[in-house]
Amino acid sequence: MHRTKVKVAEDALDANATIAQANRGDFDRADVTVVNLMSAPGAGKTTLLESVFGGEGLGDLRPGVLEGDVQGSMDADRLAALHVPVTQLNTDPGFGGECHLDANMVRSALPSLPLDEIDLLVIENVGNLVCPAEFRVGEDARAMICSVTEGEEKPVKYPLMFRTCELVLINKIDLLPHLDFDLEKLLYNLEAVHPGVEHTLVSARTGEGVDAFRDWLVRVGERARAPA
Amino acid sequence: MHRTKVKVAEDALDANATIAQANRGDFDRADVTVVNLMSAPGAGKTTLLESVFGGEGLGDLRPGVLEGDVQGSMDADRLAALHVPVTQLNTDPGFGGECHLDANMVRSALPSLPLDEIDLLVIENVGNLVCPAEFRVGEDARAMICSVTEGEEKPVKYPLMFRTCELVLINKIDLLPHLDFDLEKLLYNLEAVHPGVEHTLVSARTGEGVDAFRDWLVRVGERARAPA
């Protein structure tokens, strides 16, 4: 029984990898850099993207967003208000709501994405610290947001998510004075799970650290464009 | 392709329902009331249980906990320190970490649960607002925690979770003065998704509202014991 289950899972991940590769090819041909942005529900993905895309924006890089949600288009509406091209992908037709995006869902959205108007596509995944980390979707890089309100032990409890991201944004630091939260402990746990991973303290609310995230996105975009 | 997927999902949910029924029978024979406690990661499940089980506790009701986590036993260790029987269930052997508990996982833990020493079993599910809601595990009642740091729109974005619970605990209300959070808007969204659902404002940190959660647990225990 157990062995059968693992086998099915591996098949599903094999198929996902194949489709992710096809997505990657399409993004490359369109010269689009793709970032997969993940977090728990309510960690601040949309608010942080609003901060990054608002104001001076990303310089020459033209951003776009693929917005993954179980249901609704509230986040997409917020981002579209900033005149960023946004495509909504709802996961609720499958199994009472899929808890993550996979490569095939992203593939199904490709025809709706104006790839020729985008240099940097941010895929805002479904809010979840487990399954999104298991499915590559054709991205160049992965970033995650971890909110200080979630506690210090999250890297240890959800290690794959923290291990699989190149950038960890530690959000809502404006709340630190009001929390029993030990930032050193979080950083210690993060280092234990993903040694040396880049991390940035941010507050989408006050704007602190938003420039660092913006710089990282620009760097990822330039890296993807650099000759190998 | 899509049709096949839905079929597989329905089969999986059918099998789950059958096993949940078997769990229910075992809990009934042992005279144990079961509450399935769910939330997003870091919403405060363990801290709230610490508050409820500490101090005067639940009167005559002897509590126990089945602790679901992808990896590790940090939460179980915290609760065991309160001299509550705790059984750890890790989901990481399957598929890089299952994002929820299902009836079969709970069933596999039954032999490790000291059911004759427990009147009320709280199953602390994996932190996730999507899949845990889809799988009954043999519980009498479902409760969920929604933290005010997660934003007002969560009921609308994760409707199944909010619809499937009898009690919604709105946690971390001590942080309200420091957030741009509109409590009325959350309550409006909650009412839209699950009209009339019981809800309680709590702060696991200050202890506010913890008595109301304690009373609810006792009521669920008494209801399960009442002649039909």
Side-chain angles (χ1 to χ4, degrees):
Chain A
M1 173 86 189
H2 178 71
R3 229 189 301 184
T4 311
K5 191 171 172 194
V6 171
K7 174 118 186 50
V8 170
E10 279 173 357
D11 286 352
L13 286 180
D14 280 353
N16 187 73
T18 304
I19 301 170
Q21 200 66 31
N23 293 348
R24 183 68 265 145
D26 287 347
F27 292 134
D28 280 344
R29 270 184 292 280
D31 213 14
V32 173
T33 305
V34 180
V35 170
N36 188 352
L37 181 63
M38 302 179 279
S39 81
K45 293 186 292 302
T46 310
T47 309
L48 206 51
L49 288 180
E50 283 180 318
S51 307
V52 164
F53 296 150
E56 47 193 301
L58 294 172
D60 290 343
L61 277 184
R62 296 167 305 165
V65 176
L66 178 60
E67 184 60 51
D69 284 302
V70 175
Q71 231 179 63
S73 64
M74 299 179 107
D75 294 347
D77 297 343
R78 284 167 61 187
L79 293 169
L82 297 171
H83 307 291
V84 172
V86 180
T87 299
Q88 178 73 50
L89 188 53
N90 283 129
T91 70
D92 61 347
F95 203 2
E98 293 284 350
C99 63
H100 60 276
L101 296 180
D102 65 23
N104 201 39
M105 295 182 219
V106 169
R107 187 141 200 87
S108 71
L110 284 188
S112 319
L113 285 166
L115 289 182
D116 50 348
E117 297 167 24
I118 296 174
D119 301 308
L120 178 82
L121 178 70
V122 178
I123 299 181
E124 189 180 330
N125 218 309
V126 179
N128 180 353
L129 287 182
V130 188
C131 302
E134 295 169 0
F135 293 87
R136 294 265 157 199
V137 295
E139 66 270 49
D140 292 274
R142 294 178 148 198
M144 71 162 291
I145 305 173
C146 159
S147 156
V148 294
T149 59
E150 295 165 11
E152 304 92 350
E153 81 294 359
K154 288 297 165 291
V156 184
K157 294 183 72 177
Y158 302 91
L160 184 65
M161 175 60 76
F162 285 82
R163 206 170 275 147
T164 196
C165 285
E166 282 180 46
L167 175 70
V168 176
L169 295 154
I170 302 168
N171 195 19
K172 306 194 189 177
I173 55 164
D174 55 290
L175 292 177
L176 281 177
H178 314 296
L179 300 173
D180 305 315
F181 181 84
D182 185 341
L183 184 59
E184 288 308 308
K185 208 174 189 176
L186 173 74
L187 296 176
Y188 177 87
N189 287 336
L190 181 58
E191 185 66 20
V193 164
H194 191 164
V197 64
E198 189 170 347
H199 61 267
T200 305
L201 304 183
V202 289
S203 165
R205 197 181 181 212
T206 67
E208 191 175 343
V210 169
D211 277 343
F213 183 34
R214 210 178 258 139
D215 290 347
W216 182 84
L217 288 169
V218 171
R219 263 189 287 138
V220 168
E222 284 166 357
R223 188 184 68 191
R225 256 154 209 74
Chain B
M1 174 84 185
H2 179 70
R3 228 192 298 186
T4 311
K5 193 171 170 195
V6 172
K7 174 117 186 52
V8 169
E10 279 173 356
D11 286 351
L13 286 180
D14 279 353
N16 187 73
T18 305
I19 301 171
Q21 199 67 32
N23 293 349
R24 183 69 264 145
D26 287 346
F27 291 135
D28 280 344
R29 271 184 293 280
D31 213 14
V32 172
T33 305
V34 180
V35 170
N36 188 351
L37 181 63
M38 301 178 282
S39 81
K45 292 186 292 303
T46 310
T47 309
L48 206 51
L49 288 180
E50 284 179 319
S51 307
V52 164
F53 296 150
E56 46 194 303
L58 295 171
D60 288 344
L61 277 185
R62 297 166 304 166
V65 176
L66 179 60
E67 184 60 51
D69 283 302
V70 176
Q71 231 180 64
S73 63
M74 299 178 107
D75 294 347
D77 297 344
R78 283 167 62 187
L79 293 169
L82 297 171
H83 307 291
V84 173
V86 181
T87 299
Q88 179 73 51
L89 189 53
N90 283 130
T91 70
D92 61 348
F95 203 3
E98 294 284 352
C99 63
H100 60 277
L101 296 180
D102 66 21
N104 201 39
M105 294 183 220
V106 170
R107 187 142 200 87
S108 72
L110 285 188
S112 319
L113 285 166
L115 291 182
D116 50 347
E117 297 166 24
I118 295 174
D119 300 308
L120 177 83
L121 178 69
V122 178
I123 299 181
E124 189 179 331
N125 219 309
V126 179
N128 180 353
L129 286 182
V130 188
C131 303
E134 296 170 359
F135 293 87
R136 295 264 156 198
V137 295
E139 66 270 50
D140 292 275
R142 295 177 148 199
M144 72 163 291
I145 305 173
C146 160
S147 156
V148 294
T149 59
E150 295 164 13
E152 303 93 349
E153 80 296 359
K154 289 297 163 293
V156 184
K157 294 183 72 176
Y158 302 90
L160 184 65
M161 175 60 77
F162 284 83
R163 205 170 275 147
T164 195
C165 286
E166 284 180 44
L167 175 70
V168 176
L169 295 154
I170 301 168
N171 195 18
K172 306 195 189 177
I173 56 163
D174 55 290
L175 291 177
L176 281 176
H178 313 296
L179 299 173
D180 304 317
F181 181 85
D182 185 341
L183 185 59
E184 289 308 309
K185 207 173 189 180
L186 174 74
L187 296 175
Y188 176 87
N189 287 336
L190 182 58
E191 184 66 20
V193 165
H194 191 164
V197 64
E198 189 170 347
H199 61 267
T200 304
L201 304 183
V202 289
S203 165
R205 195 178 182 216
T206 68
E208 192 176 340
V210 169
D211 277 344
F213 183 34
R214 209 177 260 140
D215 290 348
W216 182 84
L217 288 169
V218 171
R219 263 189 287 138
V220 168
E222 284 166 358
R223 187 184 70 190
R225 257 155 208 73

